[in-house]
Amino acid sequence: MKFLGTEISPLGMGCWPIGGKMYWGEQSLGYTRSDDDVSIRTIHAALDGGITLFDTAAAYGAGHSERLLGKALKHRPDALVVTKIGVGIDETSKQISFEPFSPDQVSPAVDGCLSRLNRDRIDLMLLHVNDMSIGKAEAVFDELDRLKSAGKLRAYGWSTDYSQSARAVAARNNFKAVEYVMNVFFDAPRMQNVVQEERLLSLIRSPLAMGLLSGKYDQNTTMASDDVRASGENWMEYFKDGKANPDFMRKLDAVRDLLTSNGRTLVQGALGWIWGQSETYVPIPGARTEEQIEGIAGALHFGALPDEIMDEIETLVTRIPDEPDRPR
């Protein structure tokens, strides 16, 4: 498939896990056990496996993920880089902040991303504030239009789960993509309608439910205390008190055999479910090791789940209710 005139794989690599530690005050919002050398080898393994799109953010590791990606892709200008702005970072302390993001902060934030990624131009810049009001987002996008004209980015979009927000700005000339949560547990019907009707690129966040759909975790697994999945944040639905949420584990058990049909791993089946919704969707599962990304890339061999399996899954999974009304 093509995006911005560039041929890309219908599968990306999410780079939150390689960013390592990051904090909001004393609260850890990063992933543990990351290793920089392993991370760079993982990015190279992704390229070898046919993955050409990499999704990161200034916030991931408070800039560290971008720096690693820039180093790993130094000789691969053909790789498509997606990054995000809107969250404050302090690279020294690894602190991030969620202070209101204003238009005057856009240009310095973009320059910071360019420097860390060691690139002259960002392929796709996303607004990393899920629930920003439409009016304030429009002001940010006005600045991104100016920076696009200056050659600092090719296009922009929004990382948001609110379909009303995406639809309100979809007609902007340089607005080309939405990144949103979708997986076997949550099929995002309203956002799917928007991206299809507006012909926007769909970047699928949390296609593996933050690792729950990898099959690695059970009720006896406890996440490390400094892992984001043990944070207790309200949005952390897949894990509760550092353990796999039993409600989701029951749903997974109901469809496990269907997802692993025809020789697929559970990961490959979960990604095949995304492509069963539309083969134009680009899931961006996070990966931290070569083994993980090689298994993920193997999903390209299988492609979408067959229609009959997709239909049977629908009879077995009780969906999470669709998005709440967007705050005004």
Side-chain angles (χ1 to χ4, degrees):
M1 60 182 291
K2 283 193 173 184
F3 179 63
L4 302 176
T6 301
E7 193 70 33
I8 62 170
S9 164
L11 178 63
M13 174 179 160
C15 297
W16 185 358
I18 68 171
K21 295 179 179 179
M22 53 189 271
Y23 302 92
W24 178 37
E26 296 183 358
Q27 178 65 67
S28 173
L29 294 179
Y31 285 79
T32 58
R33 298 180 297 147
S34 65
D35 177 278
D36 288 356
D37 291 337
V38 172
S39 296
I40 289 176
R41 292 200 301 270
T42 300
I43 294 165
H44 291 162
L47 291 163
D48 291 342
I51 293 172
T52 55
L53 182 147
F54 296 85
D55 176 90
T56 185
Y60 297 166
H64 191 58
S65 174
E66 286 183 323
R67 292 195 181 278
L68 283 176
L69 195 57
K71 183 178 180 180
L73 298 180
K74 183 176 181 179
H75 301 296
R76 291 298 301 263
D78 56 312
L80 194 147
V81 173
V82 181
T83 193
K84 312 178 195 72
I85 56 172
V87 177
I89 67 170
D90 185 314
E91 290 195 67
T92 302
S93 66
K94 297 296 182 185
Q95 285 286 327
I96 64 173
S97 63
F98 298 100
E99 298 298 322
F101 187 67
S102 58
D104 64 303
Q105 295 173 285
V106 172
S107 185
V110 170
D111 285 343
C113 293
L114 287 167
S115 175
R116 289 185 292 271
L117 287 164
N118 194 26
R119 290 204 161 200
D120 296 325
R121 183 174 64 170
I122 303 294
D123 293 303
L124 179 63
M125 179 64 74
L126 301 179
L127 176 59
H128 202 184
V129 186
N130 194 355
D131 60 354
M132 183 178 280
S133 70
I134 293 168
K136 290 181 178 179
E138 292 267 22
V140 169
F141 295 144
D142 286 343
E143 288 298 305
L144 291 178
D145 281 328
R146 184 177 64 80
L147 296 176
K148 199 267 186 186
S149 297
K152 292 188 176 184
L153 55 108
R154 298 174 68 191
Y156 57 78
W158 198 344
S159 178
T160 181
D161 297 307
Y162 296 102
S163 62
Q164 290 176 315
S165 298
R167 190 181 293 281
V169 297
R172 299 181 68 100
N173 287 338
N174 298 315
F175 190 94
K176 301 296 184 184
V178 183
E179 182 174 302
Y180 56 98
V181 170
M182 187 168 74
N183 54 52
V184 173
F185 304 129
F186 176 60
D187 59 352
R190 285 191 275 186
M191 188 66 86
Q192 286 201 61
N193 288 338
V194 171
V195 296
Q196 289 172 11
E197 292 167 8
E198 302 291 346
R199 298 185 179 181
L200 298 169
L201 176 69
S202 287
L203 298 174
I204 306 302
R205 245 183 315 119
S206 294
L208 303 179
M210 300 195 78
L212 199 64
L213 286 164
S214 70
K216 293 190 301 182
Y217 308 113
D218 59 29
Q219 295 302 303
N220 297 316
T221 305
T222 301
M223 308 306 296
S225 60
D226 57 353
D227 189 294
V228 65
R229 290 166 291 188
S231 66
E233 294 291 314
N234 291 336
W235 47 265
M236 185 58 61
E237 297 178 287
Y238 308 118
F239 292 83
K240 295 295 182 184
D241 301 319
K243 293 180 178 291
N245 186 328
D247 291 339
F248 287 103
M249 290 301 297
R250 284 190 288 270
K251 293 178 182 181
L252 175 56
D253 288 341
V255 298
R256 187 185 301 269
D257 289 345
L258 293 170
L259 292 174
T260 55
S261 62
N262 301 320
R264 292 175 173 85
T265 65
L266 190 56
V267 164
Q268 292 162 356
L271 296 175
W273 180 88
I274 298 286
W275 292 321
Q277 300 292 323
S278 172
E279 292 187 344
T280 66
Y281 291 172
V282 181
I284 46 171
R288 186 177 46 81
T289 67
E290 296 163 272
E291 181 183 14
Q292 288 173 345
I293 202 62
E294 287 166 358
I296 286 167
L300 292 168
H301 169 73
F302 290 100
L305 288 173
D307 290 344
E308 60 271 18
I309 290 180
M310 294 289 293
D311 291 342
E312 191 168 353
I313 287 172
E314 291 308 302
T315 69
L316 297 173
V317 176
T318 303
R319 297 285 178 205
I320 298 175
D322 201 4
E323 67 196 72
D325 290 334
R326 187 186 61 78
R328 296 294 177 182

